[in-house]
Amino acid sequence: MIKSNKPKTLTFKIKRQDDPKSEPYWQAFDMPYRPSLNIISCLQYIAGHATTTGGKDVAPVVWECSCLEEVCGSCTMVINGRARQSCSALVDEILDETGDTIITLEPMSKFPVVRDLWVDRSRMFENLKKVKGWVPIDGTHKLGEGPQESPEQQDMRYALSRCMTCGCCLEACPQFTIDNEFIGAQAISQARYFNEHETGATLKDERLDALSEVGGVSDCGNAQNCVKVCPKDIPLTESIAATGRQLTVHHIKKFFTGK
Amino acid sequence: MPPHTPHTPTQTSTASSSTPGPLARHHFLLRRLHSLSGIMPVGIFVIFHLFTNMQMVFPGKFQHEVAFIHSMPALLFIEIFGLWLPIGFHALLGIGYMMNWVPNTISYSYRDNWRYTMQRITAWIALVFIFAHVATLRWRLNLWGWHTPFYLDAVNHATGEVIARGDDGEPLALAHASTAMALQSSYAVLAFYIIGVYGVVYHWANGLWTAAISWGLTVSVQAQKRWGGVCAVLGISLGLFSAAAIYGAMSYEPTAQEQAAIAQLAGTDEPNIEVDHPEDHETKSPEDAGTGVSSGH
Ligand code: SF4
Ligand code: SF4
Ligand code: FES
């Protein structure tokens, strides 16, 4: 597509919902095109000019955002059918990809809507609690220096540490539905992240037990959408397989030690 | 996309607060057994089965192979424990697991997502196909006028009576002829077999690939790719076997003697089959479907 061939007007079709209990509905908003827009700046414009294409004055659209540099994950929404961060979704790139001046925005479908594009992602936090996504260092005594880690191990764990709990991997996962028990790639990968930490590994057995339950790793169907949509390029499918391996070993051990 | 059903915003970690049932308590084990049961007894059986069928392209060989299988000791034991229990287990759990997903290949049309979705579609195909295949050939049931019994040879196994003999004086061999007549009975049956067999082959080959991930054998992307190559070769080989088998069945012209023997066997009441009520010989319209099926042995 040729860059100079830019439109005068953009149209946003937005799926709205007034509160968690009410029915969703669609509204369209027009705004003038400017170069270098991202979806957040469009939403800011629309909030300031809350008039639909039909000329109706409405309540401004609600959304969430914070860092504006793709590190907090709070601005995640479904843009033209795919989950991604709205702060790093550049309008020029979208126009080049789709060649269409209509852009649709929806809240993620796998989390309960709070209002409009704002969803409640606390299920991810609950799942982190289930898999004990932390290093246990609480105590009154001095623990001394932390363990040494090889550069390879550091690289591996650094890749996993980049997760920002945005929810893209869960939104795109066909096995993760709004009301089932699957914990999804994010929590599995975080469990691996902490299992691979020398001090974190003290909770490894408990994590693996949690990951064996209904909704655990074995509920993954290997569609591998998660790894493709993760904005942080986290090797999620490798985490799932590596955790599968830890589980195989864990359960064979349990079988023979009888614990 | 699922509807935005009213939903309690926060799911606290109380999903397991009520005492979990036995299915939930042994969730991990059942999932792994589900994976294993698809590969081990069932999958290995499918390989041998298709390999045997493939020999229909070599005249005479197929009869020999099938006779060998039928001569195996404790065949019923092998059938029940090696096949029916694992297949039933795999199917029942599989049906349960398939209640819990939302397809999204429209928004996320990755190849892997299609592969995953196909695994679920072929699961249903395999379920229906295997049942109908066994019911019509092995149990010799008449399913809505679809009556294509399989016979090893021209012996009424209920009475021991030999209905026809070949040139060598042995009971007339019918394995190839009855299979051929089954597949040639109508284009619908042929199409059903092609879809069914390839569905099963896909389901097995792809299942073998994903099982390696689930068990943690293939962790890295490269390892998954390599194993994917192995599974593809296995799947394609089975696909070629199947093509050969279908060709072998379709190109065979049953002799008048074979046709007569099969018709006679299908017509005489084999007491252990109980399907050949006189009205079953007429092709039925689906409306009187209910009466067309009676229980097998
Ligand atoms: S794993 Fe990736 S897609 Fe999933 S929550 Fe973390 S950053 Fe987002
Ligand atoms: S591999 Fe597929 S089923 Fe498994 S968590 Fe990722 S997207 Fe979901
Ligand atoms: S605002 Fe933080 S990721 Fe977009």
Side-chain angles (χ1 to χ4, degrees):
Chain A
M1 292 273 166
I2 309 124
K3 288 268 174 201
S4 58
N5 198 13
K6 289 301 177 197
K8 289 224 154 41
T9 316
L10 299 170
T11 304
F12 284 87
K13 280 192 176 166
I14 302 180
K15 191 177 187 186
R16 306 194 58 179
Q17 187 172 329
D18 295 338
D19 60 69
K21 295 256 166 349
S22 63
E23 287 298 308
Y25 57 92
W26 289 84
Q27 275 177 349
F29 300 87
D30 282 343
M31 67 168 283
Y33 168 82
R34 277 184 285 121
S36 306
L37 286 167
N38 65 7
I39 296 295
I40 296 279
S41 49
C42 297
L43 283 169
Q44 285 170 333
Y45 181 94
I46 291 168
H49 304 75
T51 308
T52 64
T53 44
K56 202 172 136 201
D57 289 334
V58 293
V61 176
V62 174
W63 78 95
E64 235 188 343
C65 67
S66 173
C67 71
L68 300 180
E69 52 179 0
E70 204 186 79
V71 290
C72 75
S74 63
C75 67
T76 309
M77 60 185 69
V78 176
I79 301 170
N80 282 343
R82 297 169 55 103
R84 55 187 297 190
Q85 281 66 54
S86 45
C87 66
S88 55
L90 306 180
V91 169
D92 287 330
E93 282 177 10
I94 293 175
L95 291 176
D96 284 348
E97 274 166 32
T98 64
D100 190 351
T101 57
I102 301 173
I103 297 173
T104 62
L105 305 179
E106 296 164 73
M108 283 197 280
S109 62
K110 306 286 176 81
F111 300 95
V113 172
V114 180
R115 183 165 182 179
D116 294 339
L117 302 171
W118 171 22
V119 296
D120 177 353
R121 294 175 301 141
S122 47
R123 179 171 165 189
M124 280 191 282
F125 186 60
E126 295 304 325
N127 287 340
L128 283 178
K129 287 201 267 180
K130 270 189 208 168
V131 300
K132 302 200 181 340
W134 58 79
V135 174
I137 46 165
D138 287 349
T140 50
H141 56 290
K142 198 161 179 275
L143 291 172
E145 281 180 20
Q148 296 257 319
E149 223 176 352
S150 72
E152 292 78 27
Q153 181 76 359
Q154 282 173 20
D155 281 350
M156 191 276 277
R157 289 206 326 115
Y158 181 71
L160 305 182
S161 74
R162 290 178 306 205
C163 175
M164 56 184 177
T165 325
C166 67
C168 284
C169 54
L170 308 176
E171 175 68 16
C173 172
Q175 291 285 116
F176 188 95
T177 68
I178 190 165
D179 49 13
N180 70 0
E181 288 176 301
F182 185 37
I183 60 170
Q186 166 255 352
I188 296 170
S189 191
Q190 286 303 296
R192 178 192 184 205
Y193 174 56
F194 290 106
N195 278 349
E196 293 290 342
H197 185 280
E198 263 195 56
T199 315
T202 46
L203 294 177
K204 186 169 172 180
D205 284 347
E206 289 166 58
R207 288 195 194 99
L208 293 178
D209 282 337
L211 288 167
S212 308
E213 283 171 11
V214 177
V217 184
S218 47
D219 290 20
C220 161
N222 293 303
Q224 307 206 324
N225 287 352
C226 50
V227 73
K228 298 192 182 76
V229 297
C230 175
K232 295 286 148 186
D233 291 327
I234 298 173
L236 293 170
T237 47
E238 296 195 358
S239 285
I240 289 166
T243 310
R245 176 177 288 191
Q246 291 177 356
L247 282 172
T248 304
V249 174
H250 176 69
H251 284 277
I252 290 176
K253 264 195 199 156
K254 268 178 93 160
F255 184 83
F256 285 109
T257 59
K259 275 194 221 143
Chain B
M1 298 269 162
H4 290 253
T5 39
H7 185 269
T8 32
T10 18
Q11 291 207 335
T12 43
S13 53
T14 51
S16 50
S17 60
S18 52
T19 27
L23 282 180
R25 255 184 295 126
H26 302 292
H27 183 71
F28 178 81
L29 181 68
L30 287 170
R31 280 281 192 173
R32 287 291 169 97
L33 286 178
H34 179 249
S35 166
L36 196 63
S37 62
I39 299 167
M40 276 297 282
V42 182
I44 300 292
F45 170 77
V46 168
I47 293 181
F48 280 106
H49 186 3
L50 290 176
F51 183 75
T52 308
N53 289 12
M54 179 267 287
Q55 308 194 19
M56 274 189 276
V57 285
F58 309 111
K61 286 272 187 282
F62 180 61
Q63 178 74 27
H64 179 79
E65 289 285 321
V66 181
F68 165 72
I69 293 171
H70 281 245
S71 71
M72 274 163 60
L75 191 61
L76 191 65
F77 180 84
I78 297 177
E79 249 191 276
I80 292 177
F81 289 95
L83 276 175
W84 289 117
L85 286 181
I87 285 191
F89 174 82
H90 191 83
L92 274 180
L93 259 77
I95 291 172
Y97 298 153
M98 275 194 295
M99 297 300 149
N100 212 348
W101 67 292
V102 259
N104 61 6
T105 39
I106 305 294
S107 301
Y108 303 96
S109 56
Y110 307 115
R111 213 184 58 184
D112 280 320
N113 200 15
W114 276 106
R115 189 186 46 61
Y116 158 93
T117 307
M118 281 300 291
Q119 184 72 356
R120 276 135 192 84
I121 294 171
T122 53
W124 289 114
I125 293 177
L127 192 70
V128 174
F129 171 70
I130 291 173
F131 172 75
H133 166 59
V134 174
T136 55
L137 259 80
R138 178 84 176 81
W139 299 335
R140 299 165 186 154
L141 297 181
N142 184 332
L143 295 186
W144 302 285
W146 173 11
H147 187 206
T148 55
F150 174 87
Y151 298 103
L152 172 66
D153 47 26
V155 174
N156 183 329
H157 285 280
T159 61
E161 179 198 354
V162 179
I163 281 168
R165 289 187 187 275
D167 299 336
D168 52 0
E170 294 291 312
L172 186 67
L174 289 179
H176 200 162
S178 55
T179 311
M181 282 175 70
L183 284 206
Q184 292 171 16
S185 64
S186 82
Y187 283 115
V189 170
L190 177 65
F192 184 74
Y193 264 81
I194 292 175
I195 295 171
V197 169
Y198 283 99
V200 168
V201 168
Y202 177 90
H203 192 76
W204 183 72
N206 185 56
L208 194 62
W209 185 74
T210 54
I213 301 173
S214 306
W215 290 77
L217 292 173
T218 51
V219 171
S220 70
V221 172
Q222 297 92 306
Q224 291 179 10
K225 273 219 180 87
R226 264 180 253 138
W227 181 240
V230 175
C231 295
V233 168
L234 281 171
I236 290 168
S237 312
L238 287 185
L240 293 176
F241 285 179
S242 312
I246 292 168
Y247 172 79
M250 290 307 286
S251 60
Y252 185 82
E253 284 177 31
T255 64
Q257 194 196 10
E258 288 167 343
Q259 293 192 25
I262 289 168
Q264 199 187 337
L265 281 172
T268 50
D269 290 324
E270 288 206 0
N272 59 335
I273 291 170
E274 294 177 25
V275 284
D276 283 300
H277 309 298
E279 74 266 23
D280 283 347
H281 295 292
E282 261 82 66
T283 305
K284 293 215 180 124
S285 55
E287 288 87 273
D288 22 76
T291 57
V293 194
S294 9
S295 57
H297 54 206

